[in-house]
């Protein structure tokens, strides 16, 4: 017999698999099922099947497989947080196209401390870019923010490490399952994040390998978990640039580090960040003097989310 909590988790796993439903349809279905008495595999099957596209095979075997998958997640210490859960982050819920569920490994209470701030950027990080990442991250941690990033090489890893060194909390958002963090070079960093009281999370169940498109979609979650984003360094055509587009859609402030002088004496990798500033999509961070505006704008948005009622 399934209670409502178990029912929602099982449905979330089913809907994250290929049953022909869009993310919007999946979210709508989870809300429709919330509070209904779907207490057996058969009842879940009868509820889901009419919504599955005709060319997708869906049977009791699919439901049983989802039940087994939930048990596997629990054995691995991975929490399934459906969009209908009170633990689902409010800031993410209020963002465009939120995931149907989060698969969370680590100290789940960190979700209650959100929204945080996303600190992201290029895999190709300069020496001065690394130092700027450290300084900005350290200030944000001092102000009580959870640092959100993507565990990638370069700026992402530097932001996570700076957060750990500052005794802050950090969340790594993955493009694949949380059972196998990528890239392999940062798997130890993922464990350090967990050991320090942080989180590793994804919108995908365990066993899911990260594909190229999923790295782009992962950026919308980073934006949704945050009251603003800071891009440290970015090439003009880097995947980091999609963070800016998601920020615009979510109406969250975006900051970008750019040279303090036209000659770029710090040799920052800044083609992308300069482009974002030049077209008015990002607020420039040129020197430490700009950090006060960063703090003020982030605080303004963080206060807005405090007034959002629980789901």
């Amino acid at each position: 017999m399934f209670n409502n909590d178990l029912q929602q988790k099982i449905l979330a796993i089913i809907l994250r698999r290929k049953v022909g439903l869009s993310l919007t349809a999946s979210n709508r279905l989870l809300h429709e099922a919330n509070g209904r008495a779907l207490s057996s595999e058969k009842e879940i099957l009868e509820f889901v099947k009419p919504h599955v596209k005709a060319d997708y095979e869906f049977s009791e075997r699919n439901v049983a497989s989802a039940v087994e998958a939930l048990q596997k997640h629990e054995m691995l210490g991975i929490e399934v947080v459906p969009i209908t859960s009170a633990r689902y982050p409010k800031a993410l819920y209020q963002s465009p196209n939120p995931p149907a569920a989060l698969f969370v490994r680590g100290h789940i209470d960190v979700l209650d401390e959100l929204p945080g701030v996303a600190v992201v950027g290029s895999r190709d990080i300069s020496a001065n870019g690394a130092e700027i990442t450290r300084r900005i991250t350290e200030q944000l941690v001092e102000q009580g923010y959870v640092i959100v990033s993507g565990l990638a090489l370069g700026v992402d890893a530097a932001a996570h490490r700076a957060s750990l060194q500052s005794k802050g909390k950090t969340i790594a958002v993955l493009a694949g399952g949380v059972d196998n963090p990528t890239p392999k070079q940062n798997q130890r960093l993922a464990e350090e994040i967990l050991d320090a009281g942080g989180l590793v999370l994804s919108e995908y169940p365990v066993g899911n390998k990260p594909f190229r498109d999923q790295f782009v979609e992962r950026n919308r979650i980073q934006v949704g978990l945050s009251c603003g984003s800071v891009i440290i360094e970015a090439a003009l055509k880097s995947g980091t640039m999609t963070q800016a587009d998601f920020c615009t859609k979510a109406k969250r402030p975006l900051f970008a580090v750019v040279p303090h002088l036209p000659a770029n004496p710090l040799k920052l990798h800044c083609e992308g960040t300069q482009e974002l500033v030049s077209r008015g999509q990002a607020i420039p961070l040129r020197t430490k003097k700009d950090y006060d505006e960063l703090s003020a704008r982030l605080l303004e948005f963080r206060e807005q989310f405090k007034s959002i009622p629980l789901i």
Side-chain angles (χ1 to χ4, degrees):
M1 297 289 288
F2 306 132
N3 59 27
N4 188 66
D5 180 57
L6 286 176
Q7 159 212 301
Q8 288 288 291
K9 291 178 179 180
I10 293 166
L11 280 172
I13 291 174
I14 290 171
L15 296 171
R16 288 312 298 142
R17 296 177 172 183
K18 292 183 178 179
V19 293
L21 291 178
S22 68
L23 185 53
T24 301
S26 295
N27 290 346
R28 184 169 59 247
L29 202 60
L30 277 166
H31 281 291
E32 185 180 333
N34 194 27
R36 294 184 58 164
L38 306 178
S39 58
S40 68
E41 292 182 13
K42 183 178 179 181
E43 289 175 348
I44 291 176
L45 171 68
E46 291 174 348
F47 176 76
V48 175
K49 196 166 186 176
H51 301 276
V52 176
K53 288 187 177 180
D55 53 343
Y56 284 82
E57 182 181 349
F58 189 75
S59 66
E60 288 186 33
R61 184 172 63 254
N62 299 85
V63 182
S65 175
V67 173
E68 292 173 5
L70 177 59
Q71 293 169 345
K72 182 178 180 179
H73 281 78
E74 291 173 343
M75 288 176 60
L76 293 172
I78 298 167
E79 185 72 29
V80 182
V81 183
I83 195 169
T84 51
S85 170
R87 300 216 79 151
Y88 195 91
K90 291 188 287 185
L92 181 60
Y93 187 85
Q94 294 291 327
S95 67
N97 209 26
L102 296 175
F103 297 85
V104 180
R105 182 179 169 210
H107 298 257
I108 196 167
D109 288 347
V110 177
L111 294 180
D112 300 331
E113 300 179 36
L114 296 172
V117 179
V119 181
V120 299
S122 172
R123 287 170 172 79
D124 184 17
I125 187 173
S126 68
N128 285 308
E131 175 60 18
I132 291 169
T133 302
R134 185 192 67 77
R135 291 179 182 181
I136 290 176
T137 301
E138 185 177 87
Q139 174 173 310
L140 292 171
V141 169
E142 288 176 356
Q143 293 170 353
Y145 290 102
V146 175
I147 302 302
V148 180
S149 202
L151 201 71
L153 301 174
V155 172
D156 289 18
H160 289 306
R161 290 195 176 96
S163 176
L164 296 176
Q165 291 165 2
S166 301
K167 308 301 181 185
K169 301 288 179 61
T170 185
I171 295 176
V173 183
L174 305 184
V178 297
D179 54 321
N180 187 29
T182 56
K184 288 185 178 180
Q185 298 97 311
N186 282 343
Q187 287 185 348
R188 182 174 179 179
L189 175 58
E191 294 301 324
E192 291 173 2
I193 289 170
L194 296 173
D195 291 343
L199 286 180
V200 176
L201 63 79
S202 173
E203 64 177 311
Y204 297 102
V206 299
N208 192 286
K209 295 181 179 180
F211 293 100
R212 185 173 182 177
D213 290 348
Q214 292 171 199
F215 284 96
V216 173
E217 291 302 311
R218 175 268 306 277
N219 289 352
R220 87 186 193 286
I221 300 176
Q222 293 175 162
V223 168
L225 294 173
S226 307
C227 55
S229 296
V230 180
I231 298 180
I232 305 293
E233 292 185 305
L236 201 54
K237 295 184 178 180
S238 76
T240 303
M241 295 291 280
T242 62
Q243 185 90 4
D245 296 329
F246 287 123
C247 263
T248 299
K249 292 175 183 176
K251 298 180 180 179
R252 312 277 166 93
L254 174 68
F255 299 83
V257 173
V258 292
H260 65 295
L261 294 173
N264 188 18
L266 298 181
K267 300 188 184 305
L268 299 174
H269 302 151
C270 57
E271 294 89 350
T273 54
Q274 285 182 314
E275 174 65 18
L276 292 172
V277 169
S278 68
R279 65 190 189 206
Q281 200 168 355
I283 301 166
L285 297 176
R286 294 188 175 91
T287 69
K288 289 182 181 179
K289 294 179 181 178
D290 296 321
Y291 294 1
D292 288 341
E293 182 178 2
L294 169 67
S295 299
R297 292 292 298 275
L298 292 174
L299 179 61
E300 176 186 341
F301 273 76
R302 182 165 64 175
E303 291 300 314
Q304 286 182 17
F305 288 111
K306 287 184 179 180
S307 64
I308 298 174
L310 290 173
I311 300 167

